[in-house]
């Protein structure tokens, strides 16, 4: 019978932070049942799962946000936090003797994840959903997430009571203009992706056009490759076909697909204008 | 000639660097040991002139939790951290910086067909980290079972570790099973790809592995599936069918597999799932 050390939570947090995470929390695996459909809960992937360890980090740096959108597009960072998740899964098994499953960050089919990492972050008390969509941490703002399901009976965190969104400045803007920075930069009624309001000071999303957002956020990713491939095959003119395959758009798409991991995401506008997305620490 | 004391010190020091960087096991082979087994052009000295030693790192595969997952798609895309490559680079950096000798990562990915420039399986065997198994000839470490291997080649002279005196495969449980019913867990679970005989001494007497068939099952998403789907797409005359094939899950997953996400590296683990070597590390609470 494995014995879970009393300081297991602290040790996990230390390992996670040393490996590059900025936050680490634990969600109750059973808490997913209220929110996630069957087939998308931790116990569907790890029988007997009791807890989900969630780490966040690897966000664009303050300097990246200061750079031009073109530069920010090339800062691939999400993969760094996934390495932390993998390491934690091995650590739990080696040190505590309980099963641990690194929850895959990719999609099961279409745009659907196996287990929602955003939901995991919320249930682990690491952040809450914003009007813009991403889960924002109160101290660090926008982060990328990785999660590990485990049978270890770790003490769990609950969802946070008050989220980072809306920021005080957004509340004031709402009172004044009935919109917020993210809603005004990408309004769903004006060709954008986001629709929502503040109700009693809380963010309430009414609509989010995921498909439209995906075509803007991942212009150079797998979808871009598929789009150019189809257009090229449909193009009868050999010279035009050559231009399509050797042109900048397809070249950047190939860079995005390969290990160099540049051009992973191209639109950060809702988060660029979000006062809560960049953390609390101002830099010089 | 190496001084025995300093040899121990430098070898242990290098291995410790590898383990700290994430390797589960580290072993050392003499570069010249490849001459008896690898064809010309595939030996360490063909990659790095003056090569004296090959340092091999074995990294963990899927976690025990991943082996328990009832959704086979998860094992297809998760569980690898490929730390053996990181460990090899950490050790190579250490050798060049601290010992002032050349060190390179041994090239392992095929440059034509399935033939690697240098065999990591052979490197692991010669470094005493494991032996070939009935199960697709995968190298099994006697303690941990399935590991993933990477290696570095160096001009630094290092005392090699001896190859294992007793092979990891067949496991005593498999020998007993063979005596009873004439097969082993892996041979039984995949008669399509594997066949073999256990000798009266409990050793592998004969082993056959259908690599082409195994490859088509173990890597249903990857470079091969991308090429297959692409050819099918290019040959498709109907624009609507072409659209469906390009944007369908199979081609999309193939693209994810060849991308840096490391999704879908391998899809069939059945011979390893039933292998008892290293199973104690897969039985947790």
């Amino acid at each position: 019978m494995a014995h879970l050390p009393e300081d297991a939570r602290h040790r996990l947090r230390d390992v996670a932070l040393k490996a590059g995470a900025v936050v680490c929390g634990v969600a109750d695996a059973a808490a997913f049942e209220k929110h996630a459909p069957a087939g998308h809960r931790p116990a569907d992937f790890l029988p007997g799962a009791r807890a989900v360890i969630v780490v966040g980090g690897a966000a664009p740096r303050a300097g990246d946000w200061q750079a031009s959108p073109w530069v920010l597009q090339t800062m691939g960072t999400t993969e760094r936090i996934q390495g932390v998740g993998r390491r934690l899964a091995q650590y739990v098994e080696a040190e505590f003797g309980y099963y641990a499953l690194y929850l895959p960050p990719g999609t099961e089919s279409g745009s659907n994840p196996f287990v929602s990492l955003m939901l995991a972050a919320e249930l682990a008390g690491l952040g809450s959903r914003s009007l813009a969509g991403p889960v924002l941490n109160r101290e660090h703002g926008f982060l990328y997430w990785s999660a590990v399901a485990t049978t270890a009976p770790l003490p769990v965190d609950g969802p946070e009571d008050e989220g980072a969104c809306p920021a005080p400045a957004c509340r004031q803007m709402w009172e004044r203009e009935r919109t917020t920075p993210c809603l005004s930069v990408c309004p769903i009624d004006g060709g954008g992706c986001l629709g929502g309001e503040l109700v009693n000071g809380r963010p309430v999303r009414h609509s989010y056009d995921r498909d439209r957002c995906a075509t803007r956020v991942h212009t150079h990713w797998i979808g871009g490759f598929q789009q150019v491939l189809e257009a090229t095959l449909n193009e009868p003119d050999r010279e035009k076909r050559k231009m399509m395959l050797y042109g900048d758009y397809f070249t950047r798409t190939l860079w995005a697909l390969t290990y160099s991991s540049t051009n992973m995401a191209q639109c950060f506008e809702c988060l660029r204008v979000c006062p809560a997305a960049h953390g609390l620490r101002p830099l010089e | 000639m190496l001084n025995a004391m300093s040899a121990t010190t430098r070898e242990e020091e290098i291995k410790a660097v590898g383990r700290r960087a994430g390797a589960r096991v580290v072993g050392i082979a003499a570069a010249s040991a490849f001459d008896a087994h690898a064809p010309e052009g595939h030996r360490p000295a063909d990659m790095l002139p003056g090569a004296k030693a090959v340092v091999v790192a074995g990294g963990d595969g899927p976690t025990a939790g991943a082996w328990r997952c009832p959704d086979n798609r998860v094992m297809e895309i998760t569980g690898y951290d490929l730390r053996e490559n990181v460990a090899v680079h950490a050790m190579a950096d250490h050798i060049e910086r601290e010992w002032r000798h050349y060190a390179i990562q041994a090239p392992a990915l095929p440059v034509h067909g399935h033939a690697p420039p240098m065999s990591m399986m052979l490197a692991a065997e010669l470094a005493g980290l494991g032996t070939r198994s009935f199960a697709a000839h995968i190298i099994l470490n006697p303690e941990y079972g399935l590991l993933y291997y990477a290696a570095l080649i160096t001009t630094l002279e290092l005392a090699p570790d001896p190859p294992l005196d007793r092979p990891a495969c067949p496991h005593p449980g498999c020998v007993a099973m063979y005596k009873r019913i004439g097969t082993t867990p892996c041979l039984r679970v995949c008669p399509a790809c594997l066949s073999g005989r256990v000798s009266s001494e409990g050793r592998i007497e004969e082993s056959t592995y259908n690599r082409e068939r195994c490859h088509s099952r173990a890597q249903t998403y990857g470079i091969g599936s991308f090429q297959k789907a692409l050819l099918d797409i290019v040959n498709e005359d109907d624009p609507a069918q072409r659209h469906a094939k390009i944007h369908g899950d199979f081609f999309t997953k193939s693209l994810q597999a060849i991308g840096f996400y490391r999704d879908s590296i391998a899809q069939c683990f059945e011979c390893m799932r039933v292998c008892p070597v290293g199973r104690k590390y897969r039985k947790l609470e």
Side-chain angles (χ1 to χ4, degrees), chain A residues 89-284:
Chain A
Q90 290 177 338
Y91 183 85
V92 168
E93 292 200 344
E95 299 296 322
F96 303 151
Y98 288 91
Y99 290 105
L101 171 66
Y102 161 72
L103 291 170
T107 53
E108 174 208 36
S109 179
S111 299
N112 296 325
F114 287 91
V115 174
S116 167
L117 299 181
M118 286 167 62
L119 175 59
E122 284 187 287
L123 295 175
L126 296 178
S128 58
R129 294 199 195 221
S130 61
L131 269 179
V135 168
L136 299 181
N137 177 270
R138 287 175 63 80
E139 185 179 357
H140 301 282
F142 172 65
L143 297 172
Y144 293 108
W145 308 103
S146 182
V148 174
T150 178
T151 53
L154 292 162
V156 298
D157 302 295
E160 60 184 14
D161 294 327
E162 193 169 351
C165 173
C170 301
R171 284 200 188 97
Q172 292 166 13
M173 184 175 177
W174 179 261
E175 294 302 322
R176 233 180 21 246
E177 305 174 34
R178 311 312 283 176
T179 188
T180 64
C182 60
L183 295 178
S184 72
V185 83
C186 196
I188 196 156
D189 297 331
C193 306
L194 307 175
E197 63 178 331
L198 297 188
V199 178
N200 299 325
R202 295 291 185 102
V204 178
R205 291 184 94 195
H206 294 316
S207 48
Y208 166 56
D209 191 330
R210 184 169 72 173
D211 292 328
R212 187 184 281 169
C213 183
T215 63
R216 296 171 178 194
V217 169
H218 295 307
T219 50
H220 291 288
W221 181 227
I222 286 171
F225 179 89
Q226 290 164 312
Q227 188 187 35
V228 175
L229 177 64
E230 185 176 8
T232 304
L233 290 172
N234 287 340
E235 175 56 59
D237 185 320
R238 292 169 64 95
E239 284 303 309
K240 282 188 181 170
R241 270 206 306 265
K242 184 177 173 184
M243 285 170 64
M244 291 161 108
L245 293 180
Y246 286 93
D248 271 359
Y249 183 79
F250 196 57
T251 304
R252 277 189 67 176
T253 297
L254 291 171
W255 278 114
L257 274 177
T258 55
Y259 72 92
S260 59
S261 77
T262 56
N263 303 312
M264 277 292 299
Q266 283 78 49
C267 179
F268 284 92
E269 294 316 298
C270 57
L271 292 180
R272 182 188 295 281
V273 297
C274 174
H278 310 280
L280 297 177
R281 191 164 58 96
L283 300 178
E284 294 294 329

Side-chain angles (χ1 to χ4, degrees), chain A residues 1-2 39 43-48 50 78-79 82 86-87 89-90 93-94 97-110 114 151-152 221-223 225-227 229-230 233-234 256-261 264, chain B residues 21-22 24 60-71 73-74 77-83 226 230 233-234 239 242-249 251-253 255-256 258-263 281-285:
Chain A
M1 184 71 181
D44 296 325
F45 299 96
L46 180 64
R50 293 191 180 99
T78 55
E79 182 66 359
Q82 301 307 333
R86 286 188 184 93
R87 187 175 296 189
Q90 290 177 338
E93 292 200 344
Y98 288 91
Y99 290 105
L101 171 66
Y102 161 72
L103 291 170
T107 53
E108 174 208 36
S109 179
F114 287 91
T151 53
W221 181 227
I222 286 171
F225 179 89
Q226 290 164 312
Q227 188 187 35
L229 177 64
E230 185 176 8
L233 290 172
N234 287 340
L257 274 177
T258 55
Y259 72 92
S260 59
S261 77
M264 277 292 299
Chain B
R24 177 65 63 190
D60 286 323
T63 60
W67 284 107
R68 274 174 72 80
C69 180
D71 188 330
R73 295 171 306 173
V74 170
I77 64 169
T78 193
Y80 312 89
D81 64 2
L82 308 177
R83 292 296 295 184
F226 172 80
L230 184 60
I233 287 164
V234 168
R242 208 155 57 214
H243 179 83
K245 287 176 180 176
I246 287 172
H247 295 279
D249 267 2
F251 192 56
T252 303
K253 285 196 79 68
L255 285 167
Q256 288 172 347
I258 63 174
F260 80 98
Y261 256 154
R262 306 173 193 157
D263 269 15
Y281 291 99
R282 283 192 242 152
K283 292 188 82 70
L284 304 174
E285 292 292 330

